[in-house]
Amino acid sequence: MQRAKGIEVKSVVVQVAATLALAFSFTTVVVLLSGEPPLAAYGHIVAGSVGSWLKVAQVLRVWVPLVLCSCGLLYTFQIGLWNIGVEGQVILGAIAATAVLRWGAAVGAPTGILSLSLLAAMGCGGLWALAAGILKTRGGVNEIFAGLGLNFVAVGIILWLIFGPWKRPGIASMSGTEPFARELWLPTVAGWRISPYALAAALGVLVLTWWTLKYTRVGLACRAIGRNPHASFLLGLRPDRWMLVAMMLAGGLAGLAGAYQVLAVYHRLIPAISSNYGYLSLLVVMLANYRWVWIPPIAFFFAALNVGSIQLPMMLQMDSSLAGVIQGSLVLATLVVHGWARRRQRAS
Amino acid sequence: MMELSFQVLMAGVLAGAAPLILATMGETLTEKAGVINLSLDGTILLSAMTAFVVAYESHSLILAFLAAGLVGVMVAAVVAGAGIYLGQSQVAVGFVLTLMCRDLAYFLGNPYSRLQGPQVGLTPLPFLKDIPGLGPVLFQQSWITYASVALIAATWAFIYRTRWGLELRAVGEHPHAAYARGINARRVQLTYALVGGFLVGLAGAAFSLCTKPGWGRPQGAEGMGWIALAIVIFGGWEPVKVALGTYLFALLQILGISLQGVLPSVPTQVFQVAPFPLMIFTLVFMHLSQRPGAERWAAGRPWLLRLMRLLRGTAPRALGQPYRQE
């Protein structure tokens, strides 16, 4: 028993080492191809992300929405759904939050308006996910294509709002809607670059997700259906209903991330409000091997890459998309190495 | 006057759809064999960048198209290798590649942004271009457009009129049965994943060297890969219907541009969204029309019955499922 465990730990270490080696040799070759020094590039990313407390706060600002979306995706991955529509759910959450702030700005009582906008964002994100879920369970549309389609529709809606009904007086442009007054910003502490409320909320959601998935009926149903939908149906679980529940939970958390982008980061609605964090969260959860413990560190690492790579165009003649190359090659290397190990295991 | 503008519209649709036809035909071949290559959006951008850079450096368009095709083959090889041989989810691998190839294209193509590069010109076809009326518009196109039209016929003939096509369909429907009949199912799947990838790569080159010439961030071909994937489903995995879907999309795009003249406050991107709700609607319709009783219900409404029969299509049964060869 002890020995078997030792071998398992060893094989995990070998797998992780192989993954890192594969991913980083690939990105290094890519950087070399572009004719720039790889070590300097990595150095700038590290210095630009964890080089000072200010930068760490910047990374945490990206970490919050990634954690929120990733927690939501845990529910859908557990039940066996590919919720690629998470991007659109973030956008709808941002739209709902903006709508409440716009209509509520005249009413007063900022705290009430802020909480209302958070609720609206969760509701709208959840409904957008529900639409994809119903298309899947009732309409026979694969959730990947339903989700993708709804993502593009969400982009259409946000562009229409920014250039149409919600345009700035006189000028409609990609720079977004009129910024909100300061009292409608998510409250923060003087001297902090990141709202402590947002950090607390992200941690709270993380713990709640862990608890829900481990100890409640919802978690049990998700796991059972994800492993064997047919058997769980025979045991009296309704897979289609639980899938809708999982989608709503994922959409609600994604909507919350969208509201955070509006209330705490941009303070207005911009076309790129989701910043691709929905898609990035799918990568986070895949790299975390669908386990909640790994989400906070991996989300932090991905956020650091995103923030640090902003230095690249300034310090070197490089595009900041190197972050995406590193993130993608890490997940890809994980899939390849994991598949390879499983194949060898089966062969032996 | 009216007649003339119809011809111009037709010529515009044929030319505008040409790159997408390459991509949708490639993906149809791949999916018919039971492999889903979800990486199209990234592959198209990466191959578009490669084609532009190669054409810019070497001044050879043929080399540029070959390089782009090779990029498509390499990406497809990763999808097929991890999906077919390592048993990983094809959707997962394809999705990661979509994001990564796009960033790779932006990163490596950065020094070549907004440069003036070589382009594919128009090649009027001798004799045909002199046909009164149709000739001057339909036969004064780039050779990519002619090739795209020929490719539709070739794909259809290959899938339905050759022995290889029969093997391809057999593997996509039932790899185990095909294997029992002596077909190396895995090798067939790998082959058509690579062939499809090559065509998708050519589509990227067609974008950056002809339809939306040049490279930059954004290039203009963003989202086209997703649209191609949607159109393959819309067309029910039948090459001719897929091609019709592609032309319908090109028509929508052109109408969108002219609509913008009428509604200037609405950005073009809003019109680009149109194919997606259409795809979802088609999929729901396809699903509902397969229910027992649907045909009886539609019997009293002839147009509905015709629409149902037109849109009916089923996915290759083994699509996206790793086939374990024992």
Side-chain angles (χ1 to χ4, degrees), chain B residues 22-60:
Chain B
L22 297 175
T24 50
M25 289 301 122
E27 183 68 14
T28 304
L29 280 171
T30 303
E31 291 195 13
K32 271 278 183 200
V35 180
I36 181 157
N37 182 354
L38 205 69
S39 75
L40 254 55
D41 204 49
T43 311
I44 286 179
L45 279 173
L46 188 59
S47 51
M49 185 279 295
T50 311
F52 181 76
V53 171
V54 170
Y56 184 84
E57 296 288 353
S58 71
H59 299 284
S60 162

mmCIF file of all heavy atoms in Angstrom, chain B residues 22-60:
data_model
loop_
_atom_site.group_PDB
_atom_site.id
_atom_site.type_symbol
_atom_site.label_atom_id
_atom_site.label_comp_id
_atom_site.label_asym_id
_atom_site.label_seq_id
_atom_site.Cartn_x
_atom_site.Cartn_y
_atom_site.Cartn_z
ATOM 1 N N LEU B 22 -13.583 26.826 -48.312
ATOM 2 C CA LEU B 22 -12.425 25.966 -48.063
ATOM 3 C C LEU B 22 -12.497 25.393 -46.658
ATOM 4 O O LEU B 22 -12.292 24.197 -46.437
ATOM 5 C CB LEU B 22 -11.126 26.760 -48.230
ATOM 6 C CG LEU B 22 -10.821 27.327 -49.614
ATOM 7 C CD1 LEU B 22 -9.571 28.188 -49.567
ATOM 8 C CD2 LEU B 22 -10.620 26.197 -50.604
ATOM 9 N N ALA B 23 -12.805 26.264 -45.682
ATOM 10 C CA ALA B 23 -12.830 25.817 -44.294
ATOM 11 C C ALA B 23 -13.982 24.855 -44.037
ATOM 12 O O ALA B 23 -13.800 23.820 -43.388
ATOM 13 C CB ALA B 23 -12.932 27.020 -43.355
ATOM 14 N N THR B 24 -15.177 25.175 -44.550
ATOM 15 C CA THR B 24 -16.315 24.309 -44.239
ATOM 16 C C THR B 24 -16.183 22.951 -44.934
ATOM 17 O O THR B 24 -16.555 21.930 -44.361
ATOM 18 C CB THR B 24 -17.660 24.948 -44.645
ATOM 19 O OG1 THR B 24 -17.584 25.414 -45.990
ATOM 20 C CG2 THR B 24 -18.007 26.117 -43.761
ATOM 21 N N MET B 25 -15.630 22.920 -46.144
ATOM 22 C CA MET B 25 -15.446 21.632 -46.809
ATOM 23 C C MET B 25 -14.423 20.792 -46.032
ATOM 24 O O MET B 25 -14.594 19.593 -45.840
ATOM 25 C CB MET B 25 -14.971 21.826 -48.252
ATOM 26 C CG MET B 25 -16.033 22.392 -49.183
ATOM 27 S SD MET B 25 -17.487 21.353 -49.283
ATOM 28 C CE MET B 25 -18.740 22.492 -48.774
ATOM 29 N N GLY B 26 -13.357 21.446 -45.579
ATOM 30 C CA GLY B 26 -12.351 20.734 -44.789
ATOM 31 C C GLY B 26 -12.958 20.157 -43.528
ATOM 32 O O GLY B 26 -12.773 18.977 -43.209
ATOM 33 N N GLU B 27 -13.734 20.977 -42.810
ATOM 34 C CA GLU B 27 -14.310 20.504 -41.560
ATOM 35 C C GLU B 27 -15.364 19.424 -41.820
ATOM 36 O O GLU B 27 -15.512 18.498 -41.015
ATOM 37 C CB GLU B 27 -14.900 21.680 -40.773
ATOM 38 C CG GLU B 27 -15.470 21.330 -39.410
ATOM 39 C CD GLU B 27 -14.412 20.902 -38.392
ATOM 40 O OE1 GLU B 27 -13.215 21.130 -38.644
ATOM 41 O OE2 GLU B 27 -14.788 20.337 -37.351
ATOM 42 N N THR B 28 -16.085 19.535 -42.950
ATOM 43 C CA THR B 28 -17.066 18.491 -43.265
ATOM 44 C C THR B 28 -16.370 17.149 -43.432
ATOM 45 O O THR B 28 -16.816 16.127 -42.897
ATOM 46 C CB THR B 28 -17.825 18.852 -44.565
ATOM 47 O OG1 THR B 28 -18.418 20.141 -44.404
ATOM 48 C CG2 THR B 28 -18.905 17.843 -44.861
ATOM 49 N N LEU B 29 -15.249 17.145 -44.165
ATOM 50 C CA LEU B 29 -14.501 15.892 -44.349
ATOM 51 C C LEU B 29 -14.056 15.329 -43.003
ATOM 52 O O LEU B 29 -14.203 14.144 -42.727
ATOM 53 C CB LEU B 29 -13.278 16.144 -45.230
ATOM 54 C CG LEU B 29 -13.514 16.200 -46.731
ATOM 55 C CD1 LEU B 29 -12.266 16.673 -47.444
ATOM 56 C CD2 LEU B 29 -13.912 14.817 -47.240
ATOM 57 N N THR B 30 -13.517 16.225 -42.144
ATOM 58 C CA THR B 30 -13.023 15.784 -40.848
ATOM 59 C C THR B 30 -14.155 15.202 -40.006
ATOM 60 O O THR B 30 -14.030 14.128 -39.420
ATOM 61 C CB THR B 30 -12.384 16.968 -40.100
ATOM 62 O OG1 THR B 30 -11.359 17.510 -40.926
ATOM 63 C CG2 THR B 30 -11.781 16.536 -38.795
ATOM 64 N N GLU B 31 -15.281 15.929 -39.966
ATOM 65 C CA GLU B 31 -16.370 15.483 -39.096
ATOM 66 C C GLU B 31 -17.067 14.250 -39.653
ATOM 67 O O GLU B 31 -17.569 13.426 -38.893
ATOM 68 C CB GLU B 31 -17.368 16.630 -38.872
ATOM 69 C CG GLU B 31 -16.760 17.722 -38.020
ATOM 70 C CD GLU B 31 -17.767 18.714 -37.460
ATOM 71 O OE1 GLU B 31 -18.983 18.443 -37.520
ATOM 72 O OE2 GLU B 31 -17.332 19.763 -36.953
ATOM 73 N N LYS B 32 -17.095 14.109 -40.971
ATOM 74 C CA LYS B 32 -17.681 12.904 -41.569
ATOM 75 C C LYS B 32 -16.923 11.666 -41.122
ATOM 76 O O LYS B 32 -17.477 10.576 -41.050
ATOM 77 C CB LYS B 32 -17.648 12.999 -43.095
ATOM 78 C CG LYS B 32 -18.882 13.663 -43.690
ATOM 79 C CD LYS B 32 -20.009 12.674 -43.811
ATOM 80 C CE LYS B 32 -21.222 13.301 -44.482
ATOM 81 N NZ LYS B 32 -22.439 12.557 -44.184
ATOM 82 N N ALA B 33 -15.620 11.835 -40.843
ATOM 83 C CA ALA B 33 -14.822 10.700 -40.386
ATOM 84 C C ALA B 33 -14.960 10.502 -38.882
ATOM 85 O O ALA B 33 -14.318 9.631 -38.313
ATOM 86 C CB ALA B 33 -13.355 10.898 -40.763
ATOM 87 N N GLY B 34 -15.762 11.348 -38.228
ATOM 88 C CA GLY B 34 -15.994 11.161 -36.799
ATOM 89 C C GLY B 34 -15.082 11.959 -35.900
ATOM 90 O O GLY B 34 -15.092 11.785 -34.687
ATOM 91 N N VAL B 35 -14.262 12.843 -36.468
ATOM 92 C CA VAL B 35 -13.370 13.657 -35.650
ATOM 93 C C VAL B 35 -13.885 15.083 -35.656
ATOM 94 O O VAL B 35 -14.264 15.603 -36.701
ATOM 95 C CB VAL B 35 -11.925 13.646 -36.201
ATOM 96 C CG1 VAL B 35 -11.008 14.500 -35.348
ATOM 97 C CG2 VAL B 35 -11.414 12.231 -36.275
ATOM 98 N N ILE B 36 -13.943 15.719 -34.480
ATOM 99 C CA ILE B 36 -14.351 17.114 -34.460
ATOM 100 C C ILE B 36 -13.129 17.981 -34.165
ATOM 101 O O ILE B 36 -12.449 17.805 -33.166
ATOM 102 C CB ILE B 36 -15.508 17.381 -33.481
ATOM 103 C CG1 ILE B 36 -15.911 18.843 -33.511
ATOM 104 C CG2 ILE B 36 -15.214 16.930 -32.073
ATOM 105 C CD1 ILE B 36 -17.315 19.080 -33.046
ATOM 106 N N ASN B 37 -12.820 18.864 -35.115
ATOM 107 C CA ASN B 37 -11.687 19.772 -34.938
ATOM 108 C C ASN B 37 -12.247 21.144 -34.574
ATOM 109 O O ASN B 37 -12.651 21.931 -35.420
ATOM 110 C CB ASN B 37 -10.878 19.848 -36.239
ATOM 111 C CG ASN B 37 -9.654 20.729 -36.104
ATOM 112 O OD1 ASN B 37 -9.456 21.368 -35.071
ATOM 113 N ND2 ASN B 37 -8.839 20.778 -37.129
ATOM 114 N N LEU B 38 -12.262 21.403 -33.258
ATOM 115 C CA LEU B 38 -12.894 22.626 -32.773
ATOM 116 C C LEU B 38 -11.951 23.829 -32.890
ATOM 117 O O LEU B 38 -12.324 24.956 -32.597
ATOM 118 C CB LEU B 38 -13.293 22.422 -31.307
ATOM 119 C CG LEU B 38 -14.427 23.271 -30.760
ATOM 120 C CD1 LEU B 38 -15.734 22.868 -31.379
ATOM 121 C CD2 LEU B 38 -14.517 23.137 -29.252
ATOM 122 N N SER B 39 -10.717 23.606 -33.342
ATOM 123 C CA SER B 39 -9.702 24.656 -33.279
ATOM 124 C C SER B 39 -9.763 25.623 -34.458
ATOM 125 O O SER B 39 -8.876 26.456 -34.610
ATOM 126 C CB SER B 39 -8.320 24.008 -33.254
ATOM 127 O OG SER B 39 -8.010 23.529 -34.539
ATOM 128 N N LEU B 40 -10.811 25.519 -35.292
ATOM 129 C CA LEU B 40 -10.837 26.271 -36.552
ATOM 130 C C LEU B 40 -10.531 27.763 -36.405
ATOM 131 O O LEU B 40 -9.775 28.331 -37.183
ATOM 132 C CB LEU B 40 -12.211 26.109 -37.216
ATOM 133 C CG LEU B 40 -12.206 25.193 -38.422
ATOM 134 C CD1 LEU B 40 -11.633 23.854 -38.022
ATOM 135 C CD2 LEU B 40 -13.594 25.014 -38.968
ATOM 136 N N ASP B 41 -11.133 28.392 -35.406
ATOM 137 C CA ASP B 41 -10.979 29.837 -35.301
ATOM 138 C C ASP B 41 -9.515 30.230 -35.119
ATOM 139 O O ASP B 41 -9.036 31.167 -35.750
ATOM 140 C CB ASP B 41 -11.820 30.363 -34.135
ATOM 141 C CG ASP B 41 -12.165 31.817 -34.326
ATOM 142 O OD1 ASP B 41 -12.633 32.166 -35.414
ATOM 143 O OD2 ASP B 41 -11.930 32.604 -33.393
ATOM 144 N N GLY B 42 -8.806 29.481 -34.278
ATOM 145 C CA GLY B 42 -7.390 29.767 -34.072
ATOM 146 C C GLY B 42 -6.554 29.353 -35.265
ATOM 147 O O GLY B 42 -5.639 30.066 -35.679
ATOM 148 N N THR B 43 -6.879 28.188 -35.846
ATOM 149 C CA THR B 43 -6.106 27.694 -36.989
ATOM 150 C C THR B 43 -6.154 28.686 -38.143
ATOM 151 O O THR B 43 -5.146 28.958 -38.783
ATOM 152 C CB THR B 43 -6.666 26.351 -37.465
ATOM 153 O OG1 THR B 43 -6.825 25.501 -36.340
ATOM 154 C CG2 THR B 43 -5.744 25.714 -38.460
ATOM 155 N N ILE B 44 -7.354 29.213 -38.408
ATOM 156 C CA ILE B 44 -7.493 30.140 -39.533
ATOM 157 C C ILE B 44 -6.608 31.361 -39.315
ATOM 158 O O ILE B 44 -5.892 31.803 -40.220
ATOM 159 C CB ILE B 44 -8.973 30.525 -39.721
ATOM 160 C CG1 ILE B 44 -9.729 29.361 -40.343
ATOM 161 C CG2 ILE B 44 -9.103 31.773 -40.594
ATOM 162 C CD1 ILE B 44 -11.194 29.602 -40.568
ATOM 163 N N LEU B 45 -6.599 31.896 -38.084
ATOM 164 C CA LEU B 45 -5.778 33.089 -37.831
ATOM 165 C C LEU B 45 -4.296 32.770 -37.932
ATOM 166 O O LEU B 45 -3.528 33.534 -38.528
ATOM 167 C CB LEU B 45 -6.090 33.660 -36.454
ATOM 168 C CG LEU B 45 -7.340 34.524 -36.411
ATOM 169 C CD1 LEU B 45 -7.656 34.901 -34.993
ATOM 170 C CD2 LEU B 45 -7.138 35.779 -37.244
ATOM 171 N N LEU B 46 -3.883 31.621 -37.349
ATOM 172 C CA LEU B 46 -2.460 31.277 -37.380
ATOM 173 C C LEU B 46 -2.007 31.047 -38.820
ATOM 174 O O LEU B 46 -0.925 31.509 -39.219
ATOM 175 C CB LEU B 46 -2.209 30.026 -36.524
ATOM 176 C CG LEU B 46 -0.754 29.650 -36.307
ATOM 177 C CD1 LEU B 46 0.005 30.772 -35.634
ATOM 178 C CD2 LEU B 46 -0.637 28.383 -35.473
ATOM 179 N N SER B 47 -2.822 30.382 -39.612
ATOM 180 C CA SER B 47 -2.402 30.136 -40.996
ATOM 181 C C SER B 47 -2.486 31.422 -41.823
ATOM 182 O O SER B 47 -1.680 31.610 -42.734
ATOM 183 C CB SER B 47 -3.229 29.015 -41.621
ATOM 184 O OG SER B 47 -4.591 29.267 -41.453
ATOM 185 N N ALA B 48 -3.433 32.289 -41.489
ATOM 186 C CA ALA B 48 -3.499 33.579 -42.187
ATOM 187 C C ALA B 48 -2.222 34.370 -41.940
ATOM 188 O O ALA B 48 -1.639 34.956 -42.864
ATOM 189 C CB ALA B 48 -4.717 34.367 -41.718
ATOM 190 N N MET B 49 -1.784 34.373 -40.668
ATOM 191 C CA MET B 49 -0.550 35.083 -40.337
ATOM 192 C C MET B 49 0.630 34.452 -41.070
ATOM 193 O O MET B 49 1.435 35.155 -41.692
ATOM 194 C CB MET B 49 -0.353 35.022 -38.814
ATOM 195 C CG MET B 49 0.798 35.803 -38.260
ATOM 196 S SD MET B 49 2.385 34.985 -38.380
ATOM 197 C CE MET B 49 2.142 33.582 -37.290
ATOM 198 N N THR B 50 0.730 33.111 -41.016
ATOM 199 C CA THR B 50 1.833 32.418 -41.681
ATOM 200 C C THR B 50 1.857 32.767 -43.174
ATOM 201 O O THR B 50 2.908 33.085 -43.731
ATOM 202 C CB THR B 50 1.665 30.895 -41.514
ATOM 203 O OG1 THR B 50 1.414 30.622 -40.152
ATOM 204 C CG2 THR B 50 2.898 30.161 -41.969
ATOM 205 N N ALA B 51 0.688 32.687 -43.808
ATOM 206 C CA ALA B 51 0.629 32.957 -45.248
ATOM 207 C C ALA B 51 1.106 34.369 -45.549
ATOM 208 O O ALA B 51 1.895 34.588 -46.476
ATOM 209 C CB ALA B 51 -0.805 32.765 -45.742
ATOM 210 N N PHE B 52 0.657 35.326 -44.739
ATOM 211 C CA PHE B 52 1.054 36.702 -45.015
ATOM 212 C C PHE B 52 2.560 36.887 -44.859
ATOM 213 O O PHE B 52 3.214 37.504 -45.706
ATOM 214 C CB PHE B 52 0.308 37.674 -44.095
ATOM 215 C CG PHE B 52 0.662 39.101 -44.360
ATOM 216 C CD1 PHE B 52 0.142 39.764 -45.465
ATOM 217 C CD2 PHE B 52 1.554 39.774 -43.539
ATOM 218 C CE1 PHE B 52 0.489 41.068 -45.735
ATOM 219 C CE2 PHE B 52 1.910 41.087 -43.798
ATOM 220 C CZ PHE B 52 1.374 41.736 -44.905
ATOM 221 N N VAL B 53 3.101 36.325 -43.777
ATOM 222 C CA VAL B 53 4.542 36.489 -43.525
ATOM 223 C C VAL B 53 5.354 35.814 -44.630
ATOM 224 O O VAL B 53 6.300 36.405 -45.163
ATOM 225 C CB VAL B 53 4.909 35.923 -42.132
ATOM 226 C CG1 VAL B 53 6.418 35.878 -41.955
ATOM 227 C CG2 VAL B 53 4.269 36.758 -41.042
ATOM 228 N N VAL B 54 4.972 34.589 -45.012
ATOM 229 C CA VAL B 54 5.721 33.878 -46.047
ATOM 230 C C VAL B 54 5.629 34.634 -47.376
ATOM 231 O O VAL B 54 6.625 34.812 -48.081
ATOM 232 C CB VAL B 54 5.209 32.429 -46.190
ATOM 233 C CG1 VAL B 54 5.806 31.756 -47.417
ATOM 234 C CG2 VAL B 54 5.545 31.634 -44.944
ATOM 235 N N ALA B 55 4.430 35.119 -47.697
ATOM 236 C CA ALA B 55 4.269 35.854 -48.960
ATOM 237 C C ALA B 55 5.081 37.144 -48.930
ATOM 238 O O ALA B 55 5.699 37.533 -49.929
ATOM 239 C CB ALA B 55 2.789 36.162 -49.192
ATOM 240 N N TYR B 56 5.113 37.778 -47.776
ATOM 241 C CA TYR B 56 5.836 39.048 -47.659
ATOM 242 C C TYR B 56 7.333 38.838 -47.812
ATOM 243 O O TYR B 56 8.026 39.619 -48.483
ATOM 244 C CB TYR B 56 5.534 39.662 -46.286
ATOM 245 C CG TYR B 56 6.139 41.018 -46.068
ATOM 246 C CD1 TYR B 56 5.495 42.168 -46.528
ATOM 247 C CD2 TYR B 56 7.352 41.159 -45.392
ATOM 248 C CE1 TYR B 56 6.048 43.407 -46.336
ATOM 249 C CE2 TYR B 56 7.902 42.403 -45.194
ATOM 250 C CZ TYR B 56 7.246 43.536 -45.662
ATOM 251 O OH TYR B 56 7.789 44.758 -45.472
ATOM 252 N N GLU B 57 7.841 37.748 -47.202
ATOM 253 C CA GLU B 57 9.285 37.510 -47.230
ATOM 254 C C GLU B 57 9.745 36.900 -48.550
ATOM 255 O O GLU B 57 10.816 37.222 -49.034
ATOM 256 C CB GLU B 57 9.696 36.585 -46.072
ATOM 257 C CG GLU B 57 9.470 37.175 -44.686
ATOM 258 C CD GLU B 57 10.442 38.293 -44.334
ATOM 259 O OE1 GLU B 57 11.378 38.526 -45.117
ATOM 260 O OE2 GLU B 57 10.257 38.938 -43.276
ATOM 261 N N SER B 58 8.934 36.000 -49.114
ATOM 262 C CA SER B 58 9.422 35.250 -50.275
ATOM 263 C C SER B 58 8.810 35.731 -51.592
ATOM 264 O O SER B 58 9.264 35.345 -52.653
ATOM 265 C CB SER B 58 9.090 33.762 -50.102
ATOM 266 O OG SER B 58 7.686 33.571 -50.259
ATOM 267 N N HIS B 59 7.769 36.546 -51.524
ATOM 268 C CA HIS B 59 7.041 37.001 -52.710
ATOM 269 C C HIS B 59 6.488 35.850 -53.527
ATOM 270 O O HIS B 59 6.265 35.986 -54.721
ATOM 271 C CB HIS B 59 7.924 37.883 -53.597
ATOM 272 C CG HIS B 59 8.388 39.109 -52.875
ATOM 273 N ND1 HIS B 59 7.557 40.189 -52.651
ATOM 274 C CD2 HIS B 59 9.554 39.387 -52.280
ATOM 275 C CE1 HIS B 59 8.225 41.090 -51.956
ATOM 276 N NE2 HIS B 59 9.439 40.644 -51.720
ATOM 277 N N SER B 60 6.310 34.702 -52.875
ATOM 278 C CA SER B 60 5.748 33.570 -53.606
ATOM 279 C C SER B 60 4.401 33.209 -52.991
ATOM 280 O O SER B 60 4.325 32.794 -51.840
ATOM 281 C CB SER B 60 6.695 32.373 -53.524
ATOM 282 O OG SER B 60 5.987 31.196 -53.861
#
